[in-house]
Amino acid sequence: MRPDRLWQREILEQVRRRRSCVVKFVLPLVLTAPLLLLHVPESVRADAFTLLLIFIGVFGTAVGLIRARESGMMVRLAVLPASPARLTGEYLLTHSLFDGLQFLVPLLLIAAPRTRDPFTLIVLGLTFFMVIFAANAIGGMVAVAAGSSGEGHLFAILSVLVVMGLSGLFRDIEGRLDPGIFLPFHYFRDVLLSSAFPIPGIVLSLVVVAALFGTTLLISPRLFRML
Amino acid sequence: MTPIVVQGVCKNFGALQALDGISFAVEAGEIFGLLGSNGSGKSTLLRILSLLIAPSRGTISMLGRQVQKKDSSLLRQMGVVFDQTPHYEHLTGFENAWFFARAYEVGDTEIESRLRHFFTALDLWERRDDLVGIYSHGMKRKLALIEALAHHPRVILLDEPSLGLDYHSRMSLYQLLQERVQSGSSIIMATNDVHEARLLCDRVALMRKGRILAVETPDALIGSLGGYAILEMRLDRPIPFDLLKGVPGIAQSEATVRENGSYGIRILARDDPRILPTLLAEITPHASLIGLDIKRPDLGDVMLRFGGGADAS
């Protein structure tokens, strides 16, 4: 394949890095294995899996973009006629897709014992990808804000902690649902836990994801600035 | 229409004034050199011209348009090579070049033939399907040049284009640049290589501390040192660094490479027969003269004279 667009180039590079590709697909299975094999409360399982998605999305994108900027690649891309928003959008969508593929099998393994209802699985899949898109968009914002790799790691950790707190993850050791306010992470966790999916939650989650993505694209020209 | 017109461009980074009142124009089919020592502002100027950073003051008109940040239609007609040339290391050289050519919207059918031409000219065709990760520094540099030229830009901005290239590749690069110039492209090239500037540039701007000291053809610049000569002395031991400072008629002196146990010193002096005895009187208490060559100045001496001399102003 000869890459015409940035998203094709990203896919090609991901596929070419075989070792990294294998690690990326094995790691989610390894990380979720304790959640599947051990007797952990279902709320902890849902919390941990949601957190894992947030963590991978935020860190993967933030570190990838910061590294590209530090290598000088963003400056090279900045002199192309394509807009920063288009380049950033293609990058985020491609990496979101990869993150989704990596965690698809663990998701099915976690969800399968709870439900086989196709409609529930579709909603679960939708909210799953919304979580990943949102996490990648936050990773993009982290990369814009950070001036170096060190700052990037710090901002990524802070972002994950804030998102985790706002989403109501790991708040209630009694197993009761603790109301979080930050969609779509909170909503995904609820769907994973209870197989209930109030429609307004999906719509609101979509709005939040779109807002996060839109904000990242809006501030993306700063990603291509000279350090 | 003059393709590139720069007027009164200044750039400040906090308290540092990187560029101060830069003005020049580059015609179609012209290679314009920016010659100056490190930190003279060449790269900053190229970054402004490539729309990466905005000037603090001044205006730039390129291809009839006032330059603003991120003008896609202008960027489509520009080819840029910076001093840093990162690539996608897990893609082949050809895939990298293909990606950049497509980003500049070159048609599928044209890319093949153009890339073949450039890869062959720079002796990279046989390595086109190797991953860039195993390319040498020079090969990566060649690839960056291909990526900057393959879309046949009307404005080409090059920062040290031949850095890391072998002699044969340099000559091929010069030929490629001449091809582009003959088809009407304008080239601005920052370089420290005075021989390259003399060989390639139609006009050269001598830069120092963010200012342009002179803009002329290389020959005219060398001609400006018409009353000077170069004395290349070989001595049996080094002399004190500031020994020749203040000697009447000496414009510039620098230590050169030690050869066969001797120490070299290169002096730009007024073309006056009384200079040599004065010089020898100063030097002989410290070292013995082994050899002496007297030459006409070249562009490097002009650069030294303007760029580093005590009386550079």
Side-chain angles (χ1 to χ4, degrees):
Chain A
M1 181 173 93
R2 285 173 176 170
D4 289 334
R5 299 281 292 266
L6 188 72
W7 66 268
Q8 292 170 324
R9 194 214 65 78
E10 290 294 331
I11 289 175
L12 196 57
E13 182 153 20
Q14 295 285 336
V15 172
R16 286 271 169 80
R17 298 167 73 172
R18 286 188 192 149
R19 185 169 168 274
S20 156
C21 212
V22 170
V23 169
K24 277 182 176 170
F25 280 90
V26 171
L27 191 67
L29 288 169
V30 173
L31 290 173
T32 49
L35 302 175
L36 292 162
L37 300 174
L38 301 176
H39 289 288
V40 292
E42 291 207 351
S43 65
V44 171
R45 185 174 294 161
D47 284 338
F49 190 64
T50 309
L51 179 64
L52 212 53
L53 295 181
I54 298 170
F55 200 85
I56 294 288
V58 172
F59 267 83
T61 291
V63 171
L65 287 173
I66 291 168
R67 198 182 297 152
R69 190 167 59 195
E70 286 183 336
S71 73
M73 184 51 82
M74 298 310 255
V75 169
R76 285 206 73 192
L77 295 177
V79 296
L80 297 180
S83 73
R86 197 191 94 182
L87 294 171
T88 310
E90 287 186 25
Y91 184 94
L92 292 180
L93 287 172
T94 315
H95 283 262
S96 298
L97 186 71
F98 260 93
D99 289 351
L101 290 175
Q102 286 173 60
F103 279 92
L104 204 54
V105 173
L107 172 73
L108 290 175
L109 291 174
I110 288 175
R114 293 192 57 83
T115 180
R116 302 273 164 113
D117 174 35
F119 190 64
T120 306
L121 287 174
I122 288 170
V123 172
L124 195 62
L126 183 66
T127 53
F128 166 73
F129 273 103
M130 284 196 289
V131 164
I132 287 169
F133 282 141
N136 274 274
I138 292 168
M141 289 181 198
V142 166
V144 170
S148 65
S149 292
E151 263 185 30
H153 283 95
L154 182 66
F155 292 169
I157 289 168
L158 290 175
S159 307
V160 170
L161 289 175
V162 169
V163 167
M164 201 173 100
L166 290 176
S167 306
L169 303 180
F170 296 110
R171 273 196 184 162
D172 185 8
I173 56 169
E174 299 296 317
R176 294 188 306 270
L177 284 177
D178 191 16
I181 55 164
F182 196 46
L183 299 164
F185 307 106
H186 168 65
Y187 186 75
F188 172 70
R189 176 229 200 231
D190 287 358
V191 174
L192 202 58
L193 206 52
S194 65
S195 301
F197 38 86
I199 296 302
I202 301 178
V203 176
L204 278 174
S205 294
L206 272 171
V207 170
V208 171
V209 173
L212 286 171
F213 232 80
T215 307
T216 308
L217 298 189
L218 205 64
I219 60 176
S220 63
R222 283 189 58 77
L223 200 55
F224 296 83
R225 74 189 186 278
M226 298 211 61
L227 286 175
Chain B
M1 179 191 68
T2 305
I4 304 169
V5 181
V6 178
Q7 283 181 321
V9 165
C10 300
K11 180 66 186 176
N12 297 330
F13 295 107
L16 174 76
Q17 182 147 33
L19 294 176
D20 183 10
I22 300 289
S23 299
F24 61 86
V26 183
E27 299 296 332
E30 182 180 15
I31 302 183
F32 187 82
L34 302 173
L35 196 61
S37 51
N38 298 335
S40 58
K42 306 185 299 287
S43 297
T44 303
L45 182 57
L46 283 185
R47 282 169 190 158
I48 289 174
L49 291 170
S50 56
L51 318 192
L52 276 175
I53 52 176
S56 306
R57 282 192 305 281
T59 58
I60 297 168
S61 156
M62 216 178 275
L63 303 174
R65 301 165 70 96
Q66 285 298 310
V67 166
Q68 291 168 342
K69 272 193 129 182
K70 199 68 190 181
D71 183 335
S72 294
S73 60
L74 203 51
L75 286 171
R76 203 168 287 123
Q77 302 182 71
M78 284 167 57
V80 186
V81 174
F82 294 114
D83 47 353
Q84 248 188 328
T85 49
H87 288 94
Y88 296 113
E89 306 264 315
H90 290 86
L91 267 59
T92 66
F94 199 82
E95 286 166 345
N96 266 279
W98 181 280
F99 169 71
F100 282 99
R102 289 295 290 141
Y104 284 107
E105 298 169 10
V106 182
D108 279 2
T109 45
E110 268 182 283
I111 295 182
E112 288 275 358
S113 61
R114 285 192 195 178
L115 291 187
R116 189 185 184 97
H117 170 66
F118 283 109
F119 272 80
T120 307
L122 289 175
D123 201 21
L124 216 51
W125 181 247
E126 287 180 7
R127 301 290 302 274
R128 68 190 183 281
D129 292 328
D130 289 351
L131 295 182
V132 170
I134 60 167
Y135 272 21
S136 68
H137 174 75
M139 290 164 76
K140 287 178 183 171
R141 196 73 187 159
K142 289 181 195 176
L143 186 57
L145 289 161
I146 293 170
E147 290 161 2
L149 298 175
H151 58 290
H152 290 177
R154 290 177 62 195
V155 171
I156 300 169
L157 306 172
L158 306 171
D159 198 349
E160 308 281 352
S162 60
L163 197 72
L165 296 192
D166 56 67
Y167 180 76
H168 178 255
S169 302
R170 274 178 185 230
M171 292 302 127
S172 305
L173 169 66
Y174 297 163
Q175 201 173 338
L176 286 177
L177 294 180
Q178 290 295 352
E179 271 178 26
R180 299 312 320 141
V181 161
Q182 278 160 19
S183 66
S185 297
S186 305
I187 299 177
I188 298 182
M189 185 176 90
T191 183
N192 285 317
D193 186 334
V194 289
H195 303 294
E196 183 172 85
R198 173 139 204 214
L199 191 67
L200 214 53
C201 297
D202 298 301
R203 285 185 305 144
V204 171
L206 287 178
M207 292 187 71
R208 182 168 185 254
K209 293 185 178 174
R211 303 183 70 177
I212 289 183
L213 303 175
V215 179
E216 267 301 349
T217 63
D219 286 341
L221 283 170
I222 293 166
S224 72
L225 292 183
Y228 286 85
I230 299 296
L231 309 176
E232 285 184 349
M233 294 181 164
R234 288 185 303 284
L235 308 172
D236 66 341
R237 63 182 73 125
I239 56 170
F241 180 71
D242 54 354
L243 182 70
L244 300 180
K245 275 189 181 171
V247 175
I250 304 293
Q252 187 75 44
S253 67
E254 58 164 353
T256 58
V257 181
R258 183 182 159 172
E259 288 174 359
N260 305 326
S262 67
Y263 292 83
I265 181 163
R266 185 177 167 89
I267 299 162
L268 177 65
R270 287 207 179 280
D271 198 357
D272 181 341
R274 289 169 297 179
I275 295 279
L276 193 56
T278 314
L279 262 177
L280 290 174
E282 291 287 339
I283 290 172
T284 43
H286 302 274
S288 300
L289 185 67
I290 298 173
L292 170 68
D293 288 322
I294 300 176
K295 296 178 176 175
R296 305 311 320 164
D298 61 20
L299 200 52
D301 300 305
V302 179
M303 196 175 154
L304 275 175
R305 168 93 176 113
F306 279 96
D311 54 350
S313 58

